[in-house]
């Protein structure tokens, strides 16, 4: 695990100094994170990185887990889908199961934090233990268009918090409590994002038989309809009529997801007969993903729906020109024509890709701007800073706070 | 090299960190935008006219405030966007005055082009009003003369430069930027103070602004 000093060559000494100044202002406060899982999933991944760094900075940060059985997590998975506006049937029994497990956790989980930071809906009901400490709810999911039955149920808990935190302005709701915007981040020192020697990149290309003789257009995503792999192939085919290029669709984690297997098959079927389309079902291998992104000429993220879309941040960090859909958190990462191209359709994606392939200087400029934008706004150090500011904000009501 | 003047009072560099607060308010068209512009807190106006400076400080030096960006990229009203982007923010000494200028610019445009009211943002592309919560912290950097000042200027964060040039003037109602004020009152160099005050900081990227300040001060130090 990287130490805070290791970020200085990337973000500059003064950024880390600011973190130390903020951490000093939190001395004496205990921050207690609670979520539902220690490993797997984006929330655990980010806490595994943030908690040790906060501690190293001197912020007394601890992390507890709630407990729940299989039926509870089936219900919360349903809630998750419903909040993402995916059709699913929620019954009174589901709400009862949620409340029963919540009651058990209210009895068992010990709350000791001056600031209690609850992540996602699973442990949301713990707020019933609120006394005179500060409670913050971190929503990591896209609730821009939630199933109202589930949202109204959860909202009864949300309003008891001191503040809620969302990843995109489009997720905010009309609430009687304060709401903050804190975007997720990427770790520039992780295997997925660190610099790689050219030999490593070349060996990965060789391993997967991807030649270097044509421009490579890439989408890194799990095989999921919401990531629109078929749409990416259609866009590539429109480009291919004019420019000889190759397409790479790479992603993992489809084997345990029945729909994923089906989408992968459909994608392969659609790509049949074109040896310039490479479809890779990759196991979780961050170095290889990193290498493939770095080997690409253009990165595409043609999602139909997206929470935040950190694959865009990963690509921009590697100074790649990106063509991506105007959904979820993607417009926060890409200002159209400044740090990438945004699209709304297959045709738009194809047009953007053609523009970038035909104008390499422009593409390069977008990639450079994109990297700067990620450096200033979406690296782990910014995330640490925002979390510390959030903790401090719990003690101030003003818009201008002199610390 | 001329003699270095010791400051009457040292200059303590502060840094300004900010958190974005969501309001839950959004506009889908120009009519809603104007209505909300009239009622949102001043912190929202400040956020949307200054956020771009910090978040996109590496871009070409133009001040594409959030209103201008949204009006052109979502509603396709390029002429209005140009008018909003070219509002001379440096002229306005209060957020209230700046707000009135933005509102009158949009209202005048609507009157001239009533068809602009028929343009709507699609779902997810509405204008979401946010506000900036500023946290101001004194740093450990203190300058006792211009040589120390320029050395610090080379290494402090752009957030600090931003704070002393933009936020101190407009949001904290100081009417001038902190650098000019200190150089005039503590160093007694009116000419240099005036040169810095005459810059239109909105037309620089923050890194270019840093370079320009360093150049002005160094050429003064070196005579």
């Amino acid at each position: 695990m990287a130490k805070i000093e290791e970020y200085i060559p990337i973000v500059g000494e003064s950024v880390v100094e600011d973190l130390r100044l903020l951490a000093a202002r939190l001395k004496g406060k205990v921050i207690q994170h609670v979520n539902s899982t220690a490993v797997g999933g984006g929330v655990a991944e980010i806490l595994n990185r943030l908690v040790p760094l906060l501690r190293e900075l001197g912020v007394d940060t601890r992390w507890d887990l709630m407990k729940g059985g299989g039926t509870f997590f089936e219900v919360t998975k349903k809630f998750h889908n419903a909040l993402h506006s995916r059709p699913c049937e929620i019954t009174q029994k589901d709400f009862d199961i949620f409340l029963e497990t919540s009651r058990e956790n209210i009895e068992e989980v010990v709350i000791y934090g001056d600031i209690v930071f609850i992540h996602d809906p699973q442990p949301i009901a713990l707020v019933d233990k609120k006394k005179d400490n500060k409670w913050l709810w971190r929503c990591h999911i896209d609730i821009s268009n939630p199933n109202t039955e589930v949202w109204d149920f959860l909202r009864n808990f949300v309003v008891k918090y001191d503040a809620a935190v969302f990843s995109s302005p489009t997720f905010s709701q009309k609430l009687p409590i304060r709401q903050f915007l804190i975007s997720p981040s990427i770790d520039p020192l992780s295997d997925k994002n660190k610099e790689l020697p050219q030999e490593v990149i070349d060996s990965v290309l060789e391993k997967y038989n991807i030649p270097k003789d044509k421009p490579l257009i890439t989408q890194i995503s799990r095989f999921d309809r919401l990531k629109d792999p078929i749409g990416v192939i259609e866009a590539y085919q429109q480009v291919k009529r004019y420019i000889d290029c190759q397409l790479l669709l790479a992603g993992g984690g489809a084997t345990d997801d029945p729909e994923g297997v089906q989408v992968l098959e459909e994608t392969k079927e659609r790509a049949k007969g074109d040896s310039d389309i490479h479809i890779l079902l990759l196991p979780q291998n961050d170095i290889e993903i990193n290498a493939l992104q770095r080997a690409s000429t253009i990165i595409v993220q043609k999602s139909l729906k997206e929470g935040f879309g950190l694959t865009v941040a990963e690509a921009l960090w590697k100074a790649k020109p990106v063509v991506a859909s105007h959904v979820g958190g993607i417009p926060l990462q890409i200002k159209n024509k400044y740090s990438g191209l945004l699209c709304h359709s297959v045709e738009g994606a194809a047009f953007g890709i053609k523009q970038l392939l035909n104008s390499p200087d422009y593409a390069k400029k977008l990639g450079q701007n994109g990297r700067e934008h990620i450096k200033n706004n979406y690296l782990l150090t910014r995330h640490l800073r925002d979390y510390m500011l959030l903790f401090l904000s719990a003690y101030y009501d003003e818009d201008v706070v002199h610390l | 090299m001329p003699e270095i003047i010791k400051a009457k009072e040292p200059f303590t560099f502060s840094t300004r960190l900010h958190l974005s607060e969501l309001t839950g308010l959004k506009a889908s068209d120009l009519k809603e935008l104007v209505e909300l512009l009239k009622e949102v807190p001043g912190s929202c106006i400040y956020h949307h006219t200054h956020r771009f400076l910090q978040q996109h400080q590496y871009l070409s030096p133009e001040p594409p405030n959030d209103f201008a960006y949204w009006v052109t990229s979502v509603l396709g009203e390029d002429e209005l966007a140009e008018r909003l982007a070219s509002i001379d923010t440096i002229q306005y000494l209060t957020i209230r005055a700046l707000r009135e200028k933005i509102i009158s610019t949009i209202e005048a445009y609507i009157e001239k082009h009533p068809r602009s009211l028929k343009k709507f943002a699609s779902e997810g592309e509405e204008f979401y009003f946010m506000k900036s919560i500023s946290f101001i912290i004194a740093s450990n950097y203190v300058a006792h003369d211009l040589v120390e000042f320029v050395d610090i200027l080379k290494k402090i964060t752009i957030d600090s430069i931003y704070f002393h040039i933009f936020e101190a003037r407009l949001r904290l109602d100081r009417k001038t930027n902190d650098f000019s004020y200190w150089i005039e009152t503590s160093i007694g160099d009116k000419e240099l103070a005036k040169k810095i005050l005459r810059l239109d900081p909105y037309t620089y990227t923050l890194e270019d602004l840093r370079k320009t300040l360093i150049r002005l001060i160094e050429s003064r130090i070196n005579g």
Side-chain angles (χ1 to χ4, degrees):
Chain A
M1 187 65 69
K3 295 274 179 207
I4 198 77
E5 283 79 21
E6 293 175 54
Y7 292 89
I8 292 174
I10 298 168
V11 296
E13 186 147 17
S14 49
V15 167
V16 173
E17 265 174 41
D18 283 350
L19 295 179
R20 292 206 175 99
L21 286 173
L22 285 177
R25 263 70 177 183
L26 284 163
K27 215 169 177 58
K29 303 282 185 217
V30 176
I31 317 292
Q32 180 180 12
H33 292 269
V34 184
N35 81 319
S36 63
T37 170
V39 285
V43 179
E45 193 179 314
I46 199 69
L47 286 178
N48 271 313
R49 292 186 180 279
L50 285 176
V51 170
L53 288 171
L54 283 168
R55 282 191 191 150
E56 194 195 329
L57 287 163
V59 181
D60 188 349
T61 311
R62 307 177 203 181
W63 177 8
D64 292 286
L65 298 176
M66 70 168 300
K67 287 194 186 117
T71 46
F72 173 74
F73 288 118
E74 275 167 31
V75 169
T76 56
K77 175 78 186 168
K78 273 195 193 176
F79 282 10
H80 183 92
N81 287 338
L83 291 172
H84 266 120
S85 69
R86 289 174 70 174
C88 60
E89 199 189 326
I90 310 274
T91 63
Q92 185 54 44
K93 196 176 165 214
D94 294 325
F95 291 120
D96 293 342
I97 290 169
F98 184 88
L99 289 173
E100 180 52 33
T101 303
S102 295
R103 257 193 298 276
E104 288 162 16
N105 276 276
I106 287 169
E107 279 172 25
E108 281 177 30
V109 176
V110 181
I111 297 295
Y112 49 80
D114 296 300
I115 294 172
V116 184
F117 201 10
I118 302 291
H119 294 265
D120 276 345
Q122 298 92 336
I124 200 170
L126 286 176
V127 72
D128 283 347
K129 295 187 89 162
K130 184 175 194 285
K131 293 205 171 106
D132 53 1
N133 48 1
K134 307 288 184 187
W135 284 67
L136 308 168
W137 183 58
R138 178 43 156 139
C139 178
H140 293 269
I141 50 186
D142 177 351
I143 55 161
S144 51
N145 199 7
N147 169 309
T148 48
E149 198 185 0
V150 173
W151 173 245
D152 288 347
F153 173 78
L154 293 174
R155 195 180 182 282
N156 293 326
F157 297 106
V158 175
V159 295
K160 295 178 189 170
Y161 283 79
D162 291 291
V165 184
F166 298 101
S167 299
S168 163
T170 57
F171 304 165
S172 71
Q173 302 285 328
K174 281 206 168 141
L175 288 170
I177 59 169
R178 295 179 88 181
Q179 304 177 60
F180 293 99
L181 171 68
I182 298 182
S183 304
S185 59
I186 59 166
D187 184 348
L189 298 176
S190 67
D191 283 349
K192 210 187 262 182
N193 297 304
K194 66 184 184 188
E195 294 291 330
L196 290 180
Q198 191 60 40
E199 306 87 76
V200 175
I201 299 170
D202 289 343
S203 70
V204 173
L205 289 180
E206 207 170 308
K207 178 178 170 186
Y208 292 109
N209 296 319
I210 301 168
K212 286 166 76 177
D213 58 348
K214 292 175 193 173
L216 179 63
I217 301 157
T218 300
Q219 173 160 301
I220 304 280
S221 274
R222 62 176 192 274
F223 291 90
D224 179 326
R225 282 189 219 291
L226 294 179
K227 308 293 178 190
D228 199 18
I230 303 288
V232 178
I233 294 180
E234 287 170 355
Y236 153 82
Q237 287 167 336
Q238 291 186 17
V239 175
K240 182 89 171 171
R241 274 185 233 154
Y242 306 97
I243 306 166
D244 194 15
C245 55
Q246 50 184 342
L247 175 68
L248 167 64
L249 292 166
T255 44
D256 59 346
D257 173 5
E259 195 186 66
V261 174
Q262 197 185 337
V263 175
L264 176 63
E265 286 314 312
E266 286 169 18
T267 309
K268 282 183 175 164
E269 182 60 32
R270 189 66 211 255
K272 220 183 225 173
D274 186 340
S275 59
D276 281 333
I277 303 182
H278 312 274
I279 297 174
L280 302 181
L281 183 58
L282 284 183
Q284 189 67 28
N285 187 329
D286 287 347
I287 297 269
E288 287 189 354
I289 296 284
N290 186 345
L292 293 171
Q293 286 170 327
R294 286 182 190 277
S296 302
T297 318
I298 292 171
I299 304 257
V300 175
Q301 191 61 57
K302 217 208 118 339
S303 305
L304 302 175
K305 206 157 176 78
E306 202 49 84
F308 190 75
L310 277 179
T311 48
V312 170
E314 289 164 15
L316 293 175
W317 176 241
K318 291 158 187 124
K320 292 295 163 185
V322 176
V323 177
S325 302
H326 191 298
V327 294
I330 292 175
L332 296 176
Q333 302 172 68
I334 292 180
K335 286 287 163 210
N336 194 27
K337 297 179 192 171
Y338 287 113
S339 51
L341 298 178
L342 292 173
C343 64
H344 297 81
S345 62
V346 167
E347 291 73 17
F351 183 67
I353 295 167
K354 271 190 286 187
Q355 269 191 316
L356 296 181
L357 287 177
N358 283 334
S359 312
D361 289 343
Y362 177 51
K364 191 175 172 195
K365 185 71 195 153
L366 293 186
Q368 284 168 343
N369 279 345
R371 180 176 162 92
E372 279 300 306
H373 184 48
I374 299 304
K375 180 178 156 187
N376 288 322
N377 300 293
Y378 296 107
L379 295 187
L380 191 63
T381 39
R382 191 275 311 153
H383 207 166
L384 276 169
R385 186 193 71 195
D386 280 1
Y387 271 179
M388 287 195 278
L389 291 174
L390 173 73
F391 303 151
L392 288 165
S393 76
Y395 297 95
Y396 299 92
D397 293 325
E398 307 89 345
D399 291 345
V400 180
V401 178
H402 291 267
L403 289 174
Chain B
M1 188 190 279
E3 196 191 336
I4 299 300
I5 300 164
K6 197 108 185 124
K8 285 183 205 153
E9 295 289 331
F11 188 90
T12 301
F13 285 82
S14 290
T15 192
R16 175 262 192 191
L17 304 172
H18 79 281
L19 195 57
S20 299
E21 186 171 335
L22 301 161
T23 62
L25 300 170
K26 60 180 175 182
S28 305
D29 55 35
L30 286 180
K31 187 166 166 275
E32 285 177 4
L33 185 71
V34 169
E35 279 167 7
L36 286 168
L37 275 168
K38 288 175 181 170
E39 65 181 58
V40 293
S43 298
C44 285
I45 307 294
Y46 180 78
H47 176 90
H48 293 295
T49 49
H50 287 75
R51 182 190 67 85
F52 219 97
L53 285 167
Q54 270 189 299
Q55 274 208 329
H56 298 266
Q57 49 83 19
Y58 51 90
L59 293 174
S60 57
E62 55 176 310
N65 63 62
D66 286 344
F67 305 117
Y69 183 80
W70 183 74
V71 160
T72 184
S73 67
V74 174
L75 299 186
E77 294 292 339
D78 294 348
E79 186 188 330
L80 176 59
E82 186 180 299
R83 286 175 193 278
L84 289 170
S86 52
I87 288 177
D88 195 3
T89 313
I90 191 80
Q91 268 189 32
Y92 298 89
L93 294 178
T94 62
I95 297 280
R96 187 172 53 82
L98 182 58
R99 182 204 300 261
E100 282 166 7
K101 176 65 184 169
I102 295 167
I103 292 170
S104 65
T105 302
I106 302 175
E107 284 182 335
Y109 184 82
I110 292 173
E111 203 179 318
K112 194 174 156 206
H113 305 282
R115 51 137 193 92
S116 63
L117 288 173
K118 291 180 184 155
K119 300 239 181 114
F120 299 92
S122 53
E123 200 180 298
E125 295 193 31
E126 300 93 340
F127 189 92
Y128 290 83
F129 280 90
M130 288 187 254
K131 60 182 190 172
S132 280
I133 309 297
S134 296
F135 295 83
I136 297 154
I137 315 172
S139 75
N140 299 322
Y141 293 116
V142 181
H144 298 86
D145 56 45
L146 281 181
V147 173
E148 287 179 10
F149 187 85
V150 83
D151 278 346
I152 296 170
L153 209 48
K154 288 175 184 168
K155 58 188 170 193
I156 51 167
T157 55
I158 54 164
D159 298 311
S160 180
I161 296 176
Y162 175 88
F163 170 72
H164 290 294
I165 293 282
F166 294 91
E167 181 135 349
R169 188 186 72 86
L170 190 62
R171 202 174 194 195
L172 303 181
D173 266 350
R174 289 184 190 161
K175 317 285 186 215
T176 180
N177 69 71
D178 286 347
F179 296 162
S180 290
Y181 182 78
W182 179 75
I183 289 169
E184 179 171 349
T185 59
S186 259
I187 300 284
D189 189 337
K190 279 190 181 170
E191 198 184 323
L192 179 60
K194 207 171 159 189
K195 273 187 182 166
I196 293 176
L197 190 60
R198 247 204 346 250
L199 298 173
D200 179 353
Y202 290 92
T203 55
Y204 291 84
T205 67
L206 285 173
E207 281 302 341
D208 284 339
L209 186 59
R210 184 204 300 268
K211 282 181 207 151
T212 305
L213 290 167
I214 290 169
R215 188 172 43 76
L216 282 175
I217 297 167
E218 278 185 339
S219 68
R220 192 72 181 167
I221 293 170
N222 299 325

